[in-house]
Amino acid sequence: MQELSDESLMHRIAGGDREAFRILVRRHSAPAAGFARRMVGGEADAEEVVQEALLRVWVNAPRWRPLASFRTWFYRIVLNLCLSRRRKPVPLSLDAAEDVADTALGPAEHFEREERDRRIAEAIAALPERQRAAIVLTYREGLSNAEVAAIVDTSVSGVETLLVRARRTLRSKLGSDVSEGNED
Amino acid sequence: MTRTQFLDRLDALGSDLAAWPARERAKALQLIAADDHACAVHEQARRMDAALRASVTEGAHDAARTEARVVSRLEARPLPAQRRSIVSRWWPDALLNYDFAPAWPRVAGLVLAGCLGLVIGLFGITISPIDSSVSTATAGSFIEADLGALVSEPEPMTGARP
């Protein structure tokens, strides 16, 4: 069952298949929590949001129709739950950055990279909610502007406007830190 | 494509030109080849995109920990009952999966027109007397008349209405 698509799993979940739901949870909980963490700021809050979103998926599965991809629908639920919390953005933890630290880097480069990631995380956390959502969905999830538009509930040109504003804000805040440094 | 247009599209679509629409990509590549400033700006945007992407991506270890916590919380208590609509029990899936969404105002309009037609067909349209000076017989005929009788001329010879 592991190789089934999200849509096929949803069809089984609609029939009350708990094993299919378990697979869907394992497939999407971590990426969705990563997205939620950047929207609400805290790890515990993000996991609560994802847990609630997954329960909504289970409860509403019999009513779900495959008009859009499951991922788009699921991230829309997660985003709406994040926005409804109305939390102030907080500086993000760098635990994740430590996990992906390149072992080939020396201590000085490692420290520089951590500093840079911290500044980027703070700059993203300070963006308005919808701009932040567009940036995180684009860079973290690798979604196209059309997919982001479906999640943020706006048009493609609306997403482009959000991204233009967000990128200009980030560029002005981060300056040469990210645009002239070494590419990792 | 001017330099300003290129900068706008770069902020809207990102530095990965492969993801741009073909027409805009061709114009952008022409500009980058001809304009050193555009080329430098594109390189800066590419570096910023790479830094942002690296910054927002978690490691596998962190993802596994998060997944384990969410799964354990969900499995700690029984799942709630699923919501099933009454319609979905009787209607075939093919019909329910048909996407009416873009056309729903038209479908609603059609249903409304159908209902209105049924009501008019069953009961007709009764018109109350307009003028009190009209004779009782004429008033009676007005009351009995329907919309078709009002808009159709009577036969000139027999006076019968179609």
Side-chain angles (χ1 to χ4, degrees), chain B residues 66-151:
Chain B
T66 303
E67 180 191 305
R69 279 196 296 268
V70 173
V71 169
S72 67
R73 276 190 204 170
L74 281 172
E75 289 180 348
R77 58 183 185 180
L79 289 169
Q82 292 183 316
R83 277 188 207 149
R84 294 176 190 279
S85 67
I86 298 166
V87 177
S88 67
R89 290 178 196 160
W90 300 321
W91 289 48
D93 275 356
L95 192 59
L96 288 172
N97 288 342
Y98 186 79
D99 185 8
F100 279 108
W104 77 263
R106 279 170 281 164
V107 172
L110 185 66
V111 170
L112 188 68
C115 291
L116 199 61
L118 190 69
V119 169
I120 291 173
L122 286 173
F123 304 108
I125 299 177
T126 53
I127 308 292
S128 56
I130 299 163
D131 188 356
S132 58
S133 64
V134 178
S135 68
T136 313
T138 317
S141 69
F142 257 110
I143 292 165
E144 295 297 322
D146 61 12
L147 191 62
L150 280 176
V151 297

Side-chain angles (χ1 to χ4, degrees), chain A:
Chain A
M1 206 189 289
Q2 294 283 348
E3 68 283 354
L4 286 177
S5 68
D6 293 341
E7 288 71 25
S8 304
L9 288 172
M10 279 302 286
H11 190 69
R12 285 168 181 253
I13 293 167
D17 188 335
R18 286 162 195 267
E19 184 54 31
F21 180 63
R22 201 166 289 126
I23 292 169
L24 204 72
V25 168
R26 289 186 186 282
R27 197 178 284 177
H28 289 285
S29 55
F35 168 64
R37 187 158 48 246
R38 278 160 182 84
M39 292 306 298
V40 295
E43 186 126 7
D45 283 342
E47 286 174 13
E48 268 177 37
V49 162
V50 172
Q51 189 183 336
E52 195 175 336
L54 286 164
L55 284 175
R56 288 189 184 193
V57 167
W58 167 261
V59 168
N60 293 297
R63 295 165 150 193
W64 181 74
R65 302 289 158 213
L67 302 175
S69 80
F70 168 77
R71 191 162 73 148
T72 303
W73 179 63
F74 179 56
Y75 273 85
R76 198 165 170 174
I77 296 173
V78 173
L79 177 62
N80 287 338
L81 288 171
C82 290
L83 295 181
S84 69
R85 294 208 160 207
R86 306 242 177 243
R87 292 279 171 88
K88 287 273 183 188
V90 294
L92 300 173
S93 154
L94 277 183
D95 293 347
E98 286 167 11
D99 287 335
V100 291
D102 189 345
T103 50
L105 295 176
E109 287 102 342
H110 190 191
F111 176 75
E112 262 180 38
R113 179 169 169 172
E114 272 191 20
E115 265 300 297
R116 191 196 63 183
D117 283 350
R118 186 186 58 77
R119 282 197 300 273
I120 292 174
E122 282 178 355
I124 291 174
L127 288 172
E129 283 169 336
R130 284 161 64 82
Q131 289 182 29
R132 188 158 76 242
I135 282 288
V136 176
L137 289 168
T138 298
Y139 287 107
R140 191 177 186 287
E141 306 303 324
L143 299 182
S144 67
N145 288 2
E147 288 171 310
V148 175
I151 293 169
V152 183
D153 196 17
T154 185
S155 61
V156 173
S157 60
V159 168
E160 288 181 0
T161 305
L162 289 173
L163 287 173
V164 166
R165 288 178 184 165
R167 282 181 174 128
R168 285 178 184 170
T169 306
L170 291 174
R171 197 182 303 128
S172 70
K173 279 190 177 173
L174 300 169
S176 59
D177 289 351
V178 295
S179 56
E180 289 175 7
N182 291 328
E183 194 178 326
D184 295 316

Side-chain angles (χ1 to χ4, degrees), chain A residues 167, chain B residues 1 5-33 38-39 41-43 45-46 49 53:
Chain A
R167 282 181 174 128
Chain B
M1 181 180 275
Q5 285 171 334
F6 175 66
L7 294 179
D8 285 343
R9 299 313 285 158
L10 201 57
D11 282 337
L13 301 171
S15 65
D16 180 13
L17 296 180
W20 286 33
R23 209 172 149 190
E24 287 184 291
R25 181 169 63 241
K27 289 177 183 174
L29 286 171
Q30 270 183 341
L31 184 71
I32 288 170
C39 184
V41 166
H42 177 243
E43 184 58 26
R46 211 175 59 76
D49 282 354
R53 200 168 292 115

